[in-house]
Amino acid sequence: MNTPLPLGIPTVRRQPFDGRSLDAVVAELTDEIRELYTADEVPWVIGYSGGKDSTAVLQLVWMALKELPKGKLTKPVHVISTDTLVENPVVAAWVTTSLETMAKGAADQALPIEPHRLTPELKDTFWVNLLGRGYPAPRPKFRWCTERLKIKPSNSFIRSVVAAHGEAIMVLGIRKAESQARARAMEKHEKRRVRDRLSPNANLPNSLVYSPVEAWADDDVWEFLMQKPNPWGYNNQDLLTMYQGASADGECPLVVDSTTPSCGSSRFGCWTCTLVEEDKSMSAMVQNDEEKEWMYPLLELRNKLDMPFGRVESEDDPDYQKGKKLPHPRTDKYARDFRRMNGKVMLFNDRAIHGPYLQKWREDWLKELLEVQTHIRATAPEHVRNIELITLDELHEIRRIWVFEKHEVEDSVPKIYKQATGEDFPGGRLDEQLVLGSDEMELLKEICGDDELHYDMVRELLAVERKYRTMARRSGLFQALEDAVQKGFYEDHADAVSFAQQKQKWREEVANNPTLDEEIGTNAPA
């Protein structure tokens, strides 16, 4: 009696490479790579993430170049890997070690392959933006992270290659089988190919894209990686094990029969990512391997960033400002300033469009992040004892933003660092640069009581005074003072919304009746 297959499993599975032999496919591709490589003097840039697709592409290029005579290895092949600084720690360690092994292997084999580890600029890092500036956790409608953490570092490197050589060829592990959207995009660019297999890059002028494994399926990739040894000395079996550990059921097999599920749908990314509902790969790693249970605090912190504020019914709910959890749609609004980053109150459907995270939440998250880092360093396996979830450079930049841009002159970063790590913060005191020291600020806060807006306004006025007191020309002082007062002259959130609604109504009336502006004169809202 035949056992029915589970829903979604095809009864007939495609054979790797559509029945062609692996050796024939590899020979064809390596010949093509050698032909393209020797056709001109344009340098190559290979995108390497440490995953299966980019590993397969780099391995094909490496194998092809090894067969060329030394006299034809005339142009560099740059291997770039972008570390967002919040990558899954297991994957980050894998990629870092792979790049080191790669550099040694290329030198030993006299190949013009140059690995590069790229990182975002300090002002663009995840923690500087989320904790420093208070950007809300990334969402599909406000996906501020991808451009800053991934795209800008790689594009900057590629532009530098183009500037030096006039052109660059990007070799990528993109495949049509990844998704329908990917297939449509690749087919669109195929129509504009200027040479065989080279497509234009829509975002980077003077750069072409070569995707040697574009027609491969997941099974093809694993077939190749498991049967062809890694030429720079890394173990592809360990890569398979990493994917296996990131699968919910712990399975990541090769195709053995028509019912065998394919491996490769696991997605490794930033452990802080809130663009997905759940970090399935990290959750699976923790679940499948006791040695990776040290990552559990990272999962907990990530989940707090994703939905840290409970659920409230609406902004009018009496528990709105208290953060009490209620069984209603998610909102993080009471953890965010009702004013935008520039201090203005903006409305959508007569409600405030909330801005950056408030000081309390940013301070709490920084403390918890440092506590997690301290805990992992003390209890995790030896190979991750030096883990750096947030760099000292980022801490210094967060401190600068809080004190000099957000005017949070309490200078709380050193105190938080001491509480979380038990060590003194490796940075000098800022008291001599401030109008009042931390003790005086505590007294000011006590005087203001529960009136946070009043306290924030006085604090910013003091910061403006400090900034301008040593200037020979104080151009802009009165405007800065006026801006500080306008940001804080509301009684509360409701008063700010009411005032913004009045301004909006007045503007609509003036737009409909231009003479009204002259009649109202100075009686109009500021």
Side-chain angles (χ1 to χ4, degrees):
M1 179 178 178
N2 293 328
T3 303
L5 295 175
L7 290 176
I9 300 295
T11 55
V12 179
R13 177 175 289 279
R14 168 191 177 276
Q15 292 298 312
F17 305 109
D18 290 322
R20 297 180 64 197
S21 73
L22 173 61
D23 288 339
V25 171
V26 170
E28 181 180 299
L29 274 177
T30 51
D31 283 344
E32 177 182 271
I33 290 169
R34 282 189 287 269
E35 181 180 347
L36 287 172
Y37 177 83
T38 57
D40 51 46
E41 295 301 315
V42 180
W44 284 17
V45 180
I46 301 179
Y48 177 71
S49 67
K52 67 183 192 310
D53 298 333
S54 61
T55 299
V57 164
L58 178 55
Q59 192 163 318
L60 282 167
V61 173
W62 196 298
M63 293 167 64
L65 297 187
K66 281 186 67 175
E67 299 301 318
L68 282 175
K70 301 301 180 185
K72 291 192 174 183
L73 297 173
T74 57
K75 64 184 184 184
V77 175
H78 300 285
V79 179
I80 60 172
S81 179
T82 304
D83 185 352
T84 63
L85 303 181
V86 284
E87 296 289 332
N88 180 309
V90 172
V91 179
W94 164 272
V95 174
T96 300
T97 307
S98 180
L99 291 174
E100 294 169 354
T101 307
M102 196 184 300
K104 184 178 184 304
D108 292 343
Q109 300 173 41
L111 294 175
I113 296 176
E114 305 172 15
H116 306 268
R117 175 179 173 268
L118 309 180
T119 57
E121 293 185 50
L122 182 60
K123 64 183 179 65
D124 290 330
T125 68
F126 183 85
W127 295 122
V128 164
N129 282 284
L130 187 134
L131 297 180
R133 296 188 175 89
Y135 281 18
R139 300 293 179 196
K141 291 185 178 180
F142 187 40
R143 191 170 181 162
W144 55 263
C145 54
T146 307
E147 172 74 20
R148 289 172 170 83
L149 304 186
K150 287 184 173 291
I151 297 175
K152 286 178 67 175
S154 58
N155 283 5
S156 177
F157 182 90
I158 294 167
R159 287 192 182 100
S160 70
V161 174
V162 171
H165 299 276
E167 197 174 8
I169 294 176
M170 300 169 58
V171 188
L172 305 178
I174 52 177
R175 296 182 298 109
K176 294 178 181 178
E178 290 181 79
S179 68
Q180 292 183 355
R182 171 78 76 184
R184 285 195 297 269
M186 293 177 69
E187 288 167 0
K188 175 183 175 182
H189 291 303
E190 280 177 13
K191 298 175 182 177
R192 300 167 54 206
R193 282 181 169 169
V194 295
R195 272 179 266 167
D196 288 344
R197 301 298 298 273
L198 297 183
S199 303
N201 187 308
N203 300 316
L204 291 168
N206 298 332
S207 61
L208 300 171
V209 175
Y210 173 43
S211 46
V213 297
E214 62 183 20
W216 286 16
D218 287 341
D219 299 333
D220 302 334
V221 177
W222 285 119
E223 179 88 8
F224 169 70
L225 292 176
M226 291 300 101
Q227 294 197 34
K228 297 297 180 181
N230 187 297
W232 60 89
Y234 228 39
N235 191 343
N236 287 342
Q237 183 63 46
D238 292 339
L239 178 63
L240 178 68
T241 302
M242 186 167 67
Y243 270 86
Q244 182 180 26
S247 301
D249 55 4
E251 293 295 329
C252 194
L254 298 179
V255 175
V256 293
D257 57 41
S258 62
T259 63
T260 305
S262 177
C263 176
S265 58
S266 299
R267 286 291 181 268
F268 302 118
C270 303
W271 68 266
T272 56
C273 184
T274 51
L275 293 169
V276 293
E277 292 186 5
E278 178 188 5
D279 189 336
K280 295 181 179 179
S281 63
M282 182 180 283
S283 299
M285 285 182 175
V286 173
Q287 176 184 337
N288 295 335
D289 189 347
E290 290 184 1
E291 292 186 0
K292 294 185 176 65
E293 288 183 356
W294 59 268
M295 292 195 296
Y296 185 72
L298 299 182
L299 275 176
E300 288 188 315
L301 181 55
R302 178 262 169 209
N303 291 337
K304 289 180 181 179
L305 293 175
D306 187 29
M307 199 176 74
F309 320 115
R311 298 168 181 271
V312 295
E313 185 171 9
S314 72
E315 296 177 13
D316 301 323
D317 192 285
D319 292 307
Y320 177 78
Q321 298 294 337
K322 300 177 184 178
K324 184 175 180 180
K325 293 184 177 181
L326 296 173
H328 295 291
R330 180 176 70 189
T331 181
D332 61 359
K333 289 182 179 178
Y334 63 81
R336 293 164 58 185
D337 198 329
F338 60 81
R339 298 161 294 190
R340 305 294 284 172
M341 195 77 75
N342 59 9
K344 298 185 182 297
V345 178
M346 299 180 65
L347 302 180
F348 179 74
N349 290 336
D350 284 336
R351 291 191 175 186
I353 302 173
H354 285 62
Y357 288 134
L358 297 169
Q359 180 179 355
K360 172 188 178 302
W361 294 92
R362 289 183 276 109
E363 290 178 345
D364 287 349
W365 281 328
L366 176 59
K367 182 172 183 290
E368 186 159 358
L369 176 64
L370 289 169
E371 286 174 344
V372 170
Q373 177 175 278
T374 303
H375 172 74
I376 291 175
R377 287 180 174 180
T379 61
E382 189 66 31
H383 66 280
V384 291
R385 288 289 176 91
N386 294 322
I387 193 171
E388 199 170 41
L389 300 180
I390 183 171
T391 66
L392 282 176
D393 286 343
E394 288 177 294
L395 288 170
H396 286 300
E397 179 65 5
I398 289 170
R399 185 189 191 191
R400 186 195 67 79
I401 291 172
W402 285 4
V403 173
F404 297 114
E405 292 187 14
K406 291 187 173 292
H407 312 297
E408 295 166 0
V409 293
E410 299 88 352
D411 189 22
S412 56
V413 168
K415 181 174 67 175
I416 292 171
Y417 189 88
K418 177 72 172 181
Q419 292 173 344
T421 68
E423 301 174 0
D424 292 330
F425 183 70
R429 293 176 60 85
L430 297 180
D431 282 2
E432 63 272 13
Q433 303 179 45
L434 305 176
V435 177
L436 299 176
S438 56
D439 293 339
E440 290 82 0
M441 294 308 299
E442 286 293 334
L443 180 60
L444 175 61
K445 193 165 189 175
E446 183 179 335
I447 293 172
C448 292
D450 295 331
D451 194 344
E452 289 285 342
L453 290 177
H454 187 197
Y455 171 73
D456 290 347
M457 181 178 70
V458 174
R459 184 177 63 180
E460 183 165 348
L461 289 171
L462 288 170
V464 170
E465 192 279 335
R466 177 202 59 77
K467 177 180 178 181
Y468 283 89
R469 65 180 172 179
T470 58
M471 291 183 176
R473 294 181 68 254
R474 300 191 176 186
S475 174
L477 170 61
F478 292 113
Q479 184 61 51
L481 292 173
E482 182 179 342
D483 290 344
V485 172
Q486 284 187 354
K487 284 170 63 177
F489 73 160
Y490 309 109
E491 291 184 8
D492 51 27
H493 174 209
D495 180 49
V497 171
S498 175
F499 185 79
Q501 289 171 341
Q502 286 182 344
K503 286 178 64 178
Q504 189 177 65
K505 182 178 179 181
W506 172 75
R507 284 172 180 156
E508 291 173 353
E509 291 175 350
V510 169
N512 295 329
N513 185 6
T515 59
L516 189 61
D517 192 14
E518 300 177 3
E519 297 173 6
I520 294 177
T522 57
N523 293 323

